[in-house]
Amino acid sequence: WYQRRVHGGFGGLGAGILGMSAYVPVGHPPVVFSTVGNQDLCEKVVQVHLGWKLGAVTYGTFPNGEISVKLEQSVGNFDVFVICSRDDLQSEVNFMLMQLLLLLDALKSEAPHRITVVLPCLEYARQDRKFAAGETIAPKLLLHLMLTAGADRFVTVDLHNEAESGFSPAHVPLDELASDKYLMHFIREQVQGFNPDETLVCAKHAGGTKRGRKMADDLGIGFMLADKFRAKAGGESEVRIIADAMQSMKWVIILDDMFDTCSTLAEVVDAVRRFAPEAKIFAVATHGYLSKDAHEQIRRMVVQSQLEWIAVTNTMSQRRALEKCEEFGVNGRLKVVDISRLLAGAIIRIHLGASVNLPKFRQLGPTAPDALLADAARVPATQYSLKVR
C-alpha cells in the first residue's frame, strides 16, 4: 500500500492530530502476481524489465488433491496484474488454470482497483470452432470463467485465430500482442549470412498465409506456402510448395503460430527439402508446446532433412523441451526467443493508461528504446509517495 505522509492535521481532525503524522492511501499502485509455472518469464518481466517485486502468494495442495491459494499481502485499491504461463515440469495445464481461477477469486475478495490477466499463450486456443454438433468453443468458456472469478482485462500474445479476440465477454478488453518484431530480430541475428534476396518465409499451412506474407514484407524477402491437400478423396495427404520466383534460394524459414507434436512441421520440412535441395531450413513459431513425440520428430528432421534449428518464444517454459532435446541428441537445435520485454512494455502501458495497440508500441523490437519501460522502476516510488505539506 503506497502512502504519502501528511504533516499536521486535515480539516476537522486538526487539533487532535496536530504535530503527528498521518498516512493516506494514494492512487492505484501496481503489483504483479504469477501462478506456479513459468517463473523464469515472470521474474524477467517483473524484476528485470519493470524493476518491481512479485506479489506474495502461497500455493498449496491438500492430501485429496484440492488446491489452496492464500494471499500474503494486501491488494486493496491496487492495480493488479496476474501472469499465467505454463511449465510442464511444474504442473499440468488444467491444474495451473484452476490455480489461476482461485487466485483471481482471492484477489477480487480484497477489493483491488482492477485485475488484468496476462496470458502469454491462451490455452485451449485451437478449440476455437465447432466442427461437429456437441463440441464446445473452449477458449470462450475459459475467458468467461476468468471473468466470473474476478478478471477485468486480458492480455495475450499471437492468438491462434484472430477471431478469438471476439470471445472476450462484452465490455472486457482482450489485447493481443504480436511477437513478430522479436522473431524477425532473432532471424536476422541467428541466420548466418542472412541475405534478403536469397531467403523466403514459408507459411506452414494456408491459415498462416496472412502472417507469413506480412513477415516476408517486413523482412524484405520472398514468400512460400506449403499447401497440404489430398489428390483424391480418401487418399494420403500431400504437401505442395507454392513459392515466389527466385534465382537463388539459400535460406527458407518455416513460420507458424505454434509447434505441438511437430508431425505436420516434419511433412513441410520434407517438402521444402525436395523443393530446394540446397537450401538451409529453419523453423520459427511463437508458442512451443512440443508435446508427445515432438523431440523425436525434431531429431528426425535434423538428421534426415538437415533442419538447422527450430525456435519458439518463452510464452511457455521450454525447460522440459530443452531437456528432451538434449536426451535425444539434438542439443542446441531448439532455441528460445525471449519476449519478456514485450509483456513488460504492455503492463506498464496498461497501468499508466496508455494504449498497447498504437503502432508506436507495436513496432518496438527487443532492442528499440522504450522510454516508459526505462522509467518503470520509478513509478511506484514517485507516483504513489508524493509528499504533501
Side-chain angles (χ1 to χ4, degrees):
W1 190 279
Y2 292 84
Q3 299 161 322
R4 54 180 156 183
R5 169 170 280 180
V6 180
H7 295 281
F10 18 25
L13 297 179
I17 59 171
L18 189 60
M20 300 175 61
S21 298
Y23 290 91
V24 179
V26 174
H28 309 293
V31 63
V32 183
F33 290 88
S34 71
T35 57
V36 174
N38 192 352
Q39 289 298 305
D40 180 62
L41 173 65
C42 297
E43 289 173 0
K44 285 181 179 178
V45 170
V46 180
Q47 299 173 359
V48 176
H49 296 299
L50 291 172
W52 303 347
K53 292 182 180 179
L54 272 169
V57 59
T58 300
Y59 297 99
T61 307
F62 292 105
N64 64 357
E66 294 178 357
I67 304 165
S68 68
V69 174
K70 184 179 184 300
L71 296 178
E72 301 294 347
Q73 70 175 78
S74 172
V75 295
N77 212 36
F78 273 64
D79 191 9
V80 178
F81 295 85
V82 179
I83 301 176
C84 181
S85 173
R86 74 153 73 182
D87 182 349
D88 290 336
L89 288 180
Q90 285 281 358
S91 62
E92 187 262 344
V93 60
N94 299 300
F95 187 92
M96 177 196 71
L97 291 175
M98 190 63 197
Q99 279 185 330
L100 172 62
L101 294 175
L102 292 175
L103 175 59
L104 292 176
D105 186 66
L107 290 167
K108 197 68 174 180
S109 68
E110 294 296 310
H113 169 65
R114 177 179 59 187
I115 301 177
T116 301
V117 181
V118 181
L119 302 161
C121 177
L122 178 62
E123 304 292 349
Y124 288 88
R126 283 178 292 181
Q127 299 182 49
D128 59 352
R129 68 194 73 184
K130 290 187 177 183
F131 291 99
E135 294 183 344
T136 183
I137 300 178
K140 180 179 179 180
L141 171 62
L142 181 59
L143 291 172
H144 279 74
L145 285 171
M146 288 187 283
L147 173 68
T148 301
D152 298 302
R153 185 170 184 166
F154 304 105
V155 178
T156 189
V157 179
D158 290 342
L159 288 169
H160 181 61
N161 181 348
E162 289 182 352
E164 290 177 341
S165 60
F167 292 164
S168 183
H171 311 300
V172 179
L174 191 161
D175 297 300
E176 180 188 6
L177 308 179
S179 66
D180 288 0
K181 294 296 181 183
Y182 287 74
L183 295 178
M184 288 189 291
H185 178 268
F186 184 84
I187 289 169
R188 292 190 183 100
E189 292 290 317
Q190 295 295 321
V191 176
Q192 295 183 359
F194 176 78
N195 183 353
D197 296 330
E198 299 175 312
T199 309
L200 294 96
V201 165
C202 176
K204 202 183 79 172
H205 49 76
T209 302
K210 180 179 177 181
R211 186 185 182 199
R213 282 198 177 277
K214 183 179 183 305
M215 181 172 285
D217 291 342
D218 289 344
L219 286 170
I221 62 180
F223 176 73
M224 174 188 290
L225 171 64
D227 181 26
K228 191 173 182 179
F229 71 102
R230 296 182 188 274
K232 60 180 181 180
E236 292 187 2
S237 61
E238 302 176 26
V239 178
R240 176 173 52 196
I241 299 297
I242 306 170
D244 291 340
M246 186 171 287
Q247 291 183 346
S248 177
M249 192 181 302
K250 291 187 177 181
W251 298 275
V252 176
I253 302 157
I254 300 172
L255 175 69
D256 201 4
D257 67 305
M258 64 175 65
F259 293 146
D260 191 358
T261 63
C262 291
S263 56
T264 302
L265 175 62
E267 294 179 17
V268 173
V269 169
D270 291 344
V272 172
R273 176 56 64 208
R274 292 191 297 269
F275 184 81
E278 303 302 322
K280 291 186 177 182
I281 304 174
F282 312 85
V284 177
T286 304
H287 310 296
Y289 290 95
L290 303 179
S291 61
K292 204 176 176 181
D293 60 347
H295 313 93
E296 175 60 31
Q297 292 282 9
I298 293 174
R299 188 194 66 80
R300 190 185 71 78
M301 287 186 284
V302 169
V303 174
Q304 297 182 11
S305 301
Q306 291 78 53
L307 177 70
E308 297 294 323
W309 45 253
I310 178 172
V312 295
T313 72
N314 58 343
T315 56
M316 57 187 71
S317 175
Q318 298 302 323
R319 290 194 304 155
R320 176 178 174 274
L322 291 169
E323 289 179 4
K324 282 286 187 180
C325 284
E326 186 174 358
E327 179 183 328
F328 278 86
V330 286
N331 190 28
R333 301 290 184 154
L334 174 62
K335 299 182 180 294
V336 182
V337 183
D338 180 24
I339 62 163
S340 58
R341 190 171 184 263
L342 173 66
L343 297 173
I347 288 174
I348 188 61
R349 280 167 172 78
I350 291 172
H351 173 63
L352 296 177
S355 174
V356 297
N357 297 311
L358 293 177
K360 187 175 182 180
F361 171 62
R362 299 185 73 85
Q363 291 173 4
L364 291 177
T367 59
D370 187 341
L372 284 179
L373 197 56
D375 210 33
R378 297 180 60 246
V379 168
T382 57
Q383 190 175 359
Y384 308 104
S385 59
L386 299 176
K387 181 179 286 187
V388 177
R389 296 184 180 278

